[in-house]
Amino acid sequence: NGAEGDAPTDETKYVAGSKVTVADQNDMTMAGYRFAGWKYGENIYKAGANFTMPAKDVTFVAQWVEKQKFDAGYWVLVTDASELNADDNVVIAAADYDVAMKSYETGNNCKQVEVTRANNLLTWNENVGVFQLLASGSNYTIQDVNTKQYLYAAGTGTSNHLKATDEIPADEGMAKYVWTVSFTDGVPTVKATSENRNTLMYNAGSDLFSCYSSGQKAIALYKYVTELPTIELNSDDNNTV
């Protein structure tokens, strides 16, 4: 897929159900991009992850993410729905913890990565998930900028699941793929229009982001901007800059 170097191979014969450790990128490189993992089916696996072998040979496809795509701007805390527009790029973070959501990889939820929150700005050293809000009527579908997958609330009556898919199936209802975004006292509620366990929240006990009906921690949204908003200070304001 445009990379240079040799992809890793494994000639071992595995029994179906065997746990296999996913290889690293070997010496593959792609100019202007970083290696983001291996894709098989709807899932993306990082190097070192466990993969359960099916009863057939498998081929993983290397995934690459453009470097410095957002390095020229800032990630600013969003506190009101009026600050969001279709096609905005956002990071989903925990409101009261220094972590943000990673891209969906595999399983039933999204993992966390450490970030720094200061002065309503978000920065990080490791790669976080960056998501684009795509208009769906007055609501949004949420697409991962790097993997191009769509987030959806995959929970059932007893399970709390958040997953991603390459395409929104034409034969399914849209409810679990469409999200509303509202704010109360500056804190967002990101909620799928499906009826079951549909609110995106942070689970501090399990270090992950998923969809719940209640009982977990609030999230925060940080929007990408190329210029910081101007703050006007009056002479009688008790502000320090």
Side-chain angles (χ1 to χ4, degrees), residues 30-45:
M30 182 181 290
Y33 289 78
R34 63 171 178 80
F35 178 70
W38 299 98
K39 185 172 185 179
Y40 178 73
E42 293 188 356
N43 297 323
I44 295 176
Y45 299 86

Side-chain angles (χ1 to χ4, degrees), residues 51-157:
F51 175 77
T52 302
M53 282 294 297
K56 61 180 180 180
D57 293 341
V58 297
T59 300
F60 290 91
V61 179
Q63 302 296 293
W64 303 90
V65 177
E66 188 176 359
K67 292 180 180 178
Q68 300 179 340
K69 185 167 186 176
F70 295 105
D71 284 1
Y74 309 87
W75 295 94
V76 178
L77 181 68
V78 179
T79 59
D80 190 84
S82 64
E83 301 169 22
L84 292 174
N85 299 288
D87 298 328
D88 278 347
N89 295 296
V90 298
V91 168
I92 301 167
D96 299 313
Y97 299 81
D98 292 331
V99 295
M101 192 168 92
K102 299 181 73 172
S103 294
Y104 175 77
E105 297 174 359
T106 185
N108 297 320
N109 48 64
C110 291
K111 298 178 182 178
Q112 68 177 38
V113 63
E114 292 185 358
V115 296
T116 299
R117 299 178 298 131
N119 301 317
N120 290 340
L121 297 176
L122 192 75
T123 57
W124 59 85
N125 293 321
E126 294 186 55
N127 296 300
V128 306
V130 177
F131 301 91
Q132 189 171 34
L133 303 178
L134 303 177
S136 180
S138 58
N139 300 316
Y140 302 102
T141 55
I142 303 177
Q143 186 179 42
D144 190 306
V145 170
N146 295 329
T147 67
K148 302 304 180 184
Q149 293 185 313
Y150 297 90
L151 292 180
Y152 68 98
T156 65

Side-chain angles (χ1 to χ4, degrees), residues 11-26:
E11 302 296 332
T12 306
K13 300 296 183 182
Y14 294 100
V15 176
S18 299
K19 298 291 186 181
V20 179
T21 301
V22 177
D24 61 21
Q25 70 198 81
N26 202 12

